């Protein structure tokens, strides 16, 4: 799919389809009004007849109308003009993309980016547009090859009112395209079954990406290398599995080597049975998604390779398969982490923190500017926040505020939970420096408390994406979150 930008007369523009917005009180945005005038109020008559109301979700495809050069017109409901904001704009885009696909209209000219939205820049509108259309193209087919393919859009042209808006629109389109592609990569990795998407498979994806892009270098640490580094906490998670664990390190070098890197650390449990603390059977297939943190890191690296911003970013993935077997770690086992702290594994199902803690110690060597870990870490986070936002935890108020705002701006929401000292005592162990579970209360927070013991040397935040990384039910599938929020953070800071 290509995006192009045009400025010119909406009425005399040659295009197979012209997308025009309308509001639900019958008022028309300027470009729609111009077409209405040129067609002798044809649009007003159609709206008066009640063929389309203008609510968000309403769409109506019209044949060519005398007075407007477009072959067809797609009317798209934009709701109440006074309520239009970035969230609603994003919904409108989704319905527009679906309509173009449904009617198999591969090339279209849109006027939606010209809609005036309070506090939303042209760059942002163009970004949301590209992101929406690119992610709308994705459909999982890899292990379902006979399923009908998604209709692919070919060329989307943005018609802008003012030539001065060309540059910001271009920037937004580039960012939105890269973010959308990154999300699709993350979704595909998440959706792949665990018999395909193993730690070794994730390693190969990261190595292949580096082969294609000069700015990226990937290094994969083997189990033997991790053993030498003392990463016994990470290694304890994969002990029961036939699959080898891996620590994947991706260096994106877009700036001088002297510039401190921002580091993203993803939980890459390619399947979480719970181990000896075995999970109940119902819905266990969804634990193939337990590597969605890792997938979001790979998605971000894809987006960076496409956009090539001048900054240094390191993506790290702590990957293992959590299985029960004769060699598996048992409840009560004590392991020594790379940091030297001993950990009592009271529950082998609290494995995410066990792989992450060693990765978080390993990255100290890179002297990071800031670190974010991303993990499908706790079921408790779904109970607390549902699927609307990811959980955000940090001991640094300023960093937390920055990331909260990135969530708002990218429409990929995060909400902060506290990480006060008082919660730390729940991790007390009589047999090790720290226990890997903190009891039934505040499970999302105590999981973050555990991680905080390993992040004292740098500015750090934790994202619990258990509720946001995939959808359940009929539309079961990975969402690609929080790639937009992470890209917002990287590109804006
Ligand atoms: N991967 C799970 C968390 C999870 C569960 C995410 C369901 C999404 C949906 C994690 O490894 C886990 O099992 N966490 C336990 C922690 C508990 C043993 C302290 C949980 O949430 O029950
Ligand atoms: Mn688990
Ligand atoms: Zn898990």
């Amino acid at each position: 799919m290509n995006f192009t930008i045009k400025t010119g007369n909406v009425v005399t523009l040659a295009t197979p389809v012209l997308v025009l917005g309308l509001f639900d009180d019958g008022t028309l945005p300027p470009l729609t009004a111009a077409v209405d005038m040129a067609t002798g109020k044809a649009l007003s008559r159609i709206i008066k007849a009640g063929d389309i109301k203008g609510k968000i979700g309403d769409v109506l495809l019209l044949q060519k109308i005398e007075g407007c050069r477009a072959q067809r017109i797609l009317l798209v409901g934009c709701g109440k003009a006074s309520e239009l904001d970035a969230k609603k704009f994003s919904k409108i885009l989704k319905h527009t993309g679906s309509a173009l696909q449904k009617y198999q209209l591969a090339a279209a000219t849109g006027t939606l980016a010209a809609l005036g939205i309070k506090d939303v820049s042209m760059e942002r509108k163009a970004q949301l547009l590209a992101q929406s259309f690119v992610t709308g193209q994705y459909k999982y087919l890899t292990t379902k090859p006979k399923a009908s393919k998604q209709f692919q859009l070919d060329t989307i042209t943005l018609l802008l009112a003012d030539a001065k808006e060309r540059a910001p629109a271009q920037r937004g389109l580039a960012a939105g395209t890269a973010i959308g592609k990154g999300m699709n990569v993350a979704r595909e990795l998440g959706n792949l079954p665990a018999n395909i998407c193993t730690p070794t498979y994730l390693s190969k994806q990261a190595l292949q990406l580096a082969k294609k892009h000069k700015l990226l270098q990937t290094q994969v640490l083997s189990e033997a290398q991790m053993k030498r580094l003392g990463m016994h906490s990470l290694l304890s998670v994969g002990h029961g599995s036939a699959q080898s664990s891996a620590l994947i390190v991706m260096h994106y070098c877009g700036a001088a080597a002297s510039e401190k890197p921002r580091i993203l650390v993803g939980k890459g449990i390619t399947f979480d049975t719970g181990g000896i603390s075995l999970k109940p059977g119902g819905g266990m297939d969804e634990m193939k998604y337990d590597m969605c943190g890792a997938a979001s890191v790979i998605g971000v690296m894809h987006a960076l390779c496409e956009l090539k911003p001048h900054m240094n970013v390191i993506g790290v993935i702590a990957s293992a398969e959590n299985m029960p077997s004769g060699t598996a770690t048992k409840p009560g086992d004590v392991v020594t982490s790379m940091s030297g702290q001993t950990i009592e594994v009271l529950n082998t199902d609290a494995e995410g923190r066990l792989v992450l803690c060693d990765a978080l110690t390993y990255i100290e060597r890179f002297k990071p500017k800031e670190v974010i870990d991303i993990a499908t870490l706790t079921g408790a986070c779904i109970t607390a926040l549902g699927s609307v936002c990811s959980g955000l935890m940090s001991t640094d108020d300023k960093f937390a505020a920055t990331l909260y705002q990135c969530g708002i701006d990218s429409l990929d929401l995060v909400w902060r939970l506290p990480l006060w000292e008082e919660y730390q005592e729940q991790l007390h162990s009589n047999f090790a420096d720290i226990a890997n579970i903190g009891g039934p209360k505040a499970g999302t927070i105590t999981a973050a408390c555990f991680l905080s013991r390993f992040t004292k040397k740098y500015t750090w935040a934790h994202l619990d994406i258990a509720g946001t990384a995939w959808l359940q039910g009929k539309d079961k599938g990975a969402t690609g979150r929080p790639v937009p929020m992470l890209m917002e953070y990287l590109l804006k800071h």
Side-chain angles (χ1 to χ4, degrees), residues 126-238:
Q127 183 205 318
L128 291 173
L129 189 143
Q131 193 180 309
S132 176
F133 280 43
V134 169
T135 52
Q137 298 290 87
Y138 173 80
K139 184 173 176 183
Y140 180 79
L141 291 168
T142 308
T143 49
K144 208 179 166 181
K146 293 200 198 92
S148 64
K149 297 218 165 42
Q150 190 83 325
F151 178 78
Q152 295 292 305
L153 305 179
D154 182 40
T155 308
I156 301 295
T157 304
L158 271 62
L159 186 66
L160 302 181
D162 189 342
K164 269 186 289 190
E165 294 182 317
R166 187 178 276 271
Q170 200 68 59
R171 278 198 305 274
L173 288 175
T177 301
I179 294 167
K181 286 186 186 173
M183 290 173 78
N184 289 347
V185 166
R187 290 160 80 191
E188 176 69 10
L189 290 172
N191 289 333
L192 282 172
N195 60 330
I196 295 177
C197 186
T198 59
T200 305
Y201 183 90
L202 287 178
S203 305
K204 281 192 185 140
Q205 298 306 305
L207 289 165
Q208 266 175 26
L209 185 65
K211 251 196 192 152
K212 274 197 277 178
H213 297 278
K214 272 206 226 71
L215 295 180
L216 191 73
Q217 284 168 15
T218 296
Q219 192 191 353
V220 178
L221 299 200
S222 67
E223 288 192 348
Q225 285 170 300
M226 289 193 276
K227 204 165 175 180
R228 263 177 264 136
L229 287 162
M231 304 177 106
H232 303 292
S233 179
L234 190 157
L235 290 169
S236 75
V237 174

Side-chain angles (χ1 to χ4, degrees), residues 247-303:
L247 187 79
I248 307 166
V249 187
M250 292 169 279
H251 293 261
Y252 171 81
C253 307
S258 58
E259 206 158 295
K260 285 187 169 182
R262 294 189 163 79
I263 305 189
L264 305 177
V265 181
K267 170 178 173 182
I269 300 297
T270 56
F271 198 83
D272 180 12
T273 64
I276 297 299
S277 311
L278 193 64
K279 286 181 181 296
M284 207 208 273
D285 65 286
E286 291 185 21
M287 282 300 111
K288 73 175 182 178
Y289 289 117
D290 212 17
M291 37 54 71
C292 280
S296 75
V297 173
I298 296 184
V300 164
M301 296 326 263
H302 269 261

Side-chain angles (χ1 to χ4, degrees), residues 48 330 349 431:
K48 263 206 199 91
K330 306 167 291 298
D349 198 10
F431 304 103

